[in-house]
Amino acid sequence: FRKFNFDVVIHLAAQAGVRYSIKNPSEYVKSNLVGFFNILENCKNKKIKHLLMASSSSVYGSNKKLPYKETHRTDNPIQFYAATKKSNEIMAHSYSHLFGLSITCMRFFTVYGPWGRPDMAYYKITDKIYNNKFIELYNRGNHKRSFSYIDDVVNSIVKLIKKKPPKEKNSKARFQILNIGNDKSVSLKKLLNIIEKNLEKKSKKKLLPLQLGDIKDTKANINLLKKITGYKFKVNLHEGMFRFIAWYLNYKKK
């Protein structure tokens, strides 16, 4: 912020992960709460024209209504990571109202692809099958997720840069929340089957019960994203995992 002058901030950095938020919540306070506060302060001071910030589908918590819509309740988080992301949304709204910042909160749904996080299920499963290790399938593999390929997510963000939110009716805020994810939901069992076919290897499985803090199913309603940007997700899970595994195998050779 000191060195460069720019109009738009896209803030994607955070301490992510459900399990680690149970083990070490203080890291989430430092990165996700204090860290995001610093972003807001700098955006205010530099009069940034549009802040686009990463939130998460985990804010929907124990909400049973599927697909998730931006208007659904999000005041029942079931893990601390989700609580920090919901807090970010509230912090952002207050700064938008008080200081006239235009802010778009993007609720991402299970983003995957090349160079993805090694702690994500698709990456861990691929890595363990490749290395002939047992994979742990929580909830016996019956979770469902809106797996969202990285290229589609990035294209959505790029489309949103110039789509500043309109002013709200009941406040001075220029603020919007958008789901960004594939509107097709797929089970972990299906994901496992796709990975096995691509690697041409069978997995060794441990079927385990639901983990503390895990959301059973997610499914994105992206009607608002389509209305604002006109963008439709193009990459299905078969194609996306083919691309990821091609990258993974090449990465392992280096």
Side-chain angles (χ1 to χ4, degrees):
F1 279 94
R2 287 195 188 103
K3 191 173 180 181
F4 299 103
N5 290 316
F6 41 83
D7 297 326
V8 174
V9 172
I10 301 172
H11 176 61
L12 306 178
Q15 177 62 60
V18 173
R19 243 77 64 202
Y20 191 57
S21 73
I22 297 171
K23 292 179 182 176
N24 198 354
S26 63
E27 287 300 314
Y28 292 71
V29 172
K30 286 188 286 187
S31 295
N32 298 3
L33 299 181
V34 177
F36 183 58
F37 165 74
N38 291 332
I39 294 290
L40 287 171
E41 275 289 289
N42 278 286
C43 287
K44 176 193 77 173
N45 294 336
K46 293 290 185 178
K47 295 181 170 52
I48 295 300
K49 292 181 180 178
H50 194 186
L51 166 61
L52 299 97
M53 52 138 317
S55 187
S56 168
S57 62
S58 64
V59 301
Y60 290 107
S62 56
N63 198 321
K64 297 290 189 279
K65 296 179 181 178
L66 291 173
Y68 293 148
K69 290 182 70 174
E70 293 88 349
T71 52
H72 287 173
R73 283 183 60 185
T74 53
D75 54 0
N76 52 2
I78 60 172
Q79 5 97 354
F80 190 60
Y81 168 63
T84 63
K85 283 301 184 181
K86 177 61 179 177
S87 299
N88 287 166
E89 294 181 359
I90 297 168
M91 292 161 69
H93 189 275
S94 70
Y95 265 68
S96 180
H97 172 75
L98 290 169
F99 307 114
L101 285 173
S102 293
I103 302 178
T104 297
C105 295
M106 303 175 290
R107 290 177 178 166
F108 295 126
F109 283 71
T110 316
V111 182
Y112 75 101
W115 298 103
R117 280 176 25 219
D119 64 315
M120 295 280 281
Y122 75 95
Y123 199 124
K124 286 199 294 187
I125 291 170
T126 301
D127 195 55
K128 288 187 175 182
I129 294 175
Y130 179 80
N131 291 296
N132 299 307
K133 294 180 179 178
F134 273 93
I135 61 171
E136 296 173 333
L137 287 181
Y138 292 96
N139 196 30
R140 304 181 69 85
N142 292 316
H143 284 83
K144 287 185 177 180
R145 293 288 182 267
S146 286
F147 291 100
S148 310
Y149 190 67
I150 183 63
D151 290 22
D152 282 323
V153 171
V154 170
N155 289 335
S156 299
I157 296 171
V158 171
K159 294 269 188 185
L160 284 169
I161 289 172
K162 294 183 178 180
K163 303 291 185 180
K164 291 170 67 173
K167 188 177 176 182
E168 290 185 344
K169 291 180 180 178
N170 300 321
S171 79
K172 295 178 181 178
R174 291 187 177 275
F175 179 84
Q176 64 187 357
I177 293 174
L178 295 173
N179 288 337
I180 298 187
N182 199 321
D183 55 5
K184 305 290 189 298
S185 191
V186 180
S187 72
L188 278 186
K189 285 181 180 177
K190 180 73 176 290
L191 172 70
L192 175 60
N193 182 256
I194 292 170
I195 294 171
E196 287 177 334
K197 285 182 178 178
N198 276 280
L199 290 175
E200 297 181 341
K201 293 180 77 170
K202 280 290 179 183
S203 61
K204 297 183 286 185
K205 298 182 281 290
K206 290 180 183 176
L207 300 178
L208 300 170
L210 187 70
Q211 275 194 119
L212 183 67
D214 265 1
I215 296 173
K216 288 183 180 179
D217 301 332
T218 68
K219 188 175 183 181
N221 179 312
I222 55 170
N223 290 342
L224 190 54
L225 177 68
K226 290 177 183 175
K227 181 181 177 181
I228 292 171
T229 66
Y231 187 76
K232 295 180 181 179
F233 275 51
K234 297 178 174 67
V235 181
N236 62 36
L237 189 60
H238 287 275
E239 174 64 22
M241 285 308 298
F242 174 80
R243 295 184 194 180
F244 166 73
I245 290 171
W247 168 84
Y248 172 86
L249 294 174
N250 184 58
Y251 181 71
K252 283 293 175 181
K253 291 175 186 175
K254 293 179 180 179

